[in-house]
């Protein structure tokens, strides 16, 4: 009887471990929304290549400004034509894909003037895109899974307060938090936010940054990766361009090189979460060619 109990306990332990591992399975994150020729959101999710989709961007927010969703030709939020994506968001989520709203980007007008401003922006995001309620929901009644911080401009202040305020809503419904820092460490805009330890995903931009990206060899990238895996985040992702045209200042890694020279090394980190790709418009086969190795 004792031996039977012992073996049952062992089997249960192995099952729990396998379930934990499968729930943390690596995946590919993609940015969608910045080119009208990249196809629909539903088609993006239907490829089966992605586990995370960042809808980009909420390009204006904070500091008393009226928030602006800029989906670059896909729809016009002021004419209420972006609500059609509600059913597509739900279709993506039905496939088990997490859909986040990316705030910031490389162009726009955004900043946080104070801790109170950060709290107001968090309330706006919760009510307008997440689990709250608002008369104005640009993406309709779909409830997004979280918020991605792609902060590349303006003030570096108060994004830690924004993260804390958003995380506070997780008592009602889990709000996943992601960050997209540049690979030079620490990131100028997101360091204090990441140090809160509240981020589920940190997808580091290893492109357009010559000092820490792939440039014929992976030495600089791999050294930078080791630094990044020490941050307080649940998972860290390798952020890459989907093609050379996606990153004018470099960082593209051919799929065969990525699979043979980079992934085997970075996958040894317990914080490895997968690969982030910029962006859907340029991803003409890149994700498909690497997904089995991710």
């Amino acid at each position: 009887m004792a031996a039977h109990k012992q073996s049952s306990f062992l089997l249960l332990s192995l099952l729990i471990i396998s379930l934990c591992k499968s729930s943390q399975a690596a995946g590919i994150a993609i940015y969608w929304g910045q080119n009208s020729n990249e196809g629909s959101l539903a088609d993006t999710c239907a490829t089966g290549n992605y586990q995370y989709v960042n809808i980009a961007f909420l390009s204006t927010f904070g500091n008393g400004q009226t928030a602006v969703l800029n989906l670059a030709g896909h729809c016009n939020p002021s004419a209420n034509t972006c609500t059609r994506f509600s059913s597509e968001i739900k279709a993506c989520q039905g496939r088990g894909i997490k859909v986040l709203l990316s705030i910031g980007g490389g162009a726009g007008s955004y900043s946080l003037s104070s801790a109170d401003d950060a709290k107001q922006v968090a309330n706006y995001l919760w009510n307008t895109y997440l689990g709250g309620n608002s008369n104005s929901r640009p993406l309709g009644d779909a409830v997004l899974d979280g918020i991605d911080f792609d902060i590349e401009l303006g003030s570096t202040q108060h994004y830690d307060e924004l993260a804390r305020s958003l995380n506070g809503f997780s008592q009602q419904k889990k709000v996943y938090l992601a960050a997209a820092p540049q690979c030079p460490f620490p990131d100028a805009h997101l360091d204090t936010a990441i140090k809160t330890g509240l981020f589920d995903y940190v997808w580091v931009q290893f492109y357009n940054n010559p000092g820490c990206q792939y440039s014929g060899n992976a030495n600089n990238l791999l050294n930078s990766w080791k630094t990044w895996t020490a941050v307080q985040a649940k998972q860290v992702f390798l952020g890459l361009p989907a093609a050379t045209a996606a990153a004018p200042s470099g960082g593209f890694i051919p799929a065969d090189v990525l699979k043979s020279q980079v992934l085997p090394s970075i996958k040894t980190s317990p914080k490895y979460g997968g690969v982030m790709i910029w962006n859907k418009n340029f991803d003409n086969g890149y994700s498909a060619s690497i997904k089995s190795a991710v």
Side-chain angles (χ1 to χ4, degrees), residues 105-239:
S109 173
Y110 53 86
S111 64
L112 299 172
S113 59
S114 64
D116 184 61
D117 189 25
K119 187 172 183 179
Q120 288 184 39
V121 170
N123 289 339
Y124 168 80
L125 292 169
W126 169 255
N127 288 319
T128 311
Y129 294 99
L130 300 170
N133 294 292
S134 170
N135 291 329
S136 173
R137 288 182 66 96
L139 294 174
D141 63 356
V143 176
L144 298 183
D145 295 292
I147 301 295
D148 169 57
F149 290 44
D150 184 11
I151 307 303
E152 303 182 32
L153 305 171
S155 169
T156 64
Q157 302 297 306
H158 307 298
Y159 288 102
D160 52 340
E161 282 107 341
L162 180 59
R164 290 190 188 95
S165 294
L166 286 168
N167 183 64
F169 290 113
S170 286
Q171 296 176 8
Q172 300 175 59
K173 184 185 185 300
K174 169 66 178 173
V175 176
Y176 288 90
L177 296 179
Q182 309 289 314
C183 58
F185 188 90
D187 182 78
H189 291 87
L190 289 168
D191 185 49
T192 55
I194 292 169
K195 281 180 177 174
T196 63
L198 296 174
F199 284 82
D200 299 281
Y201 319 114
V202 173
W203 19 71
V204 186
Q205 297 184 44
F206 287 96
Y207 52 93
N208 290 334
N209 288 290
C212 47
Q213 67 192 21
Y214 177 83
S215 54
N217 70 70
N219 296 340
N220 289 346
L221 182 150
L222 293 175
N223 287 333
S224 181
W225 171 263
K226 288 175 186 174
T227 302
W228 276 103
T229 54
V231 300
Q232 293 171 273
K234 294 180 180 68
Q235 292 184 310
V236 180
F237 288 64
L238 181 73

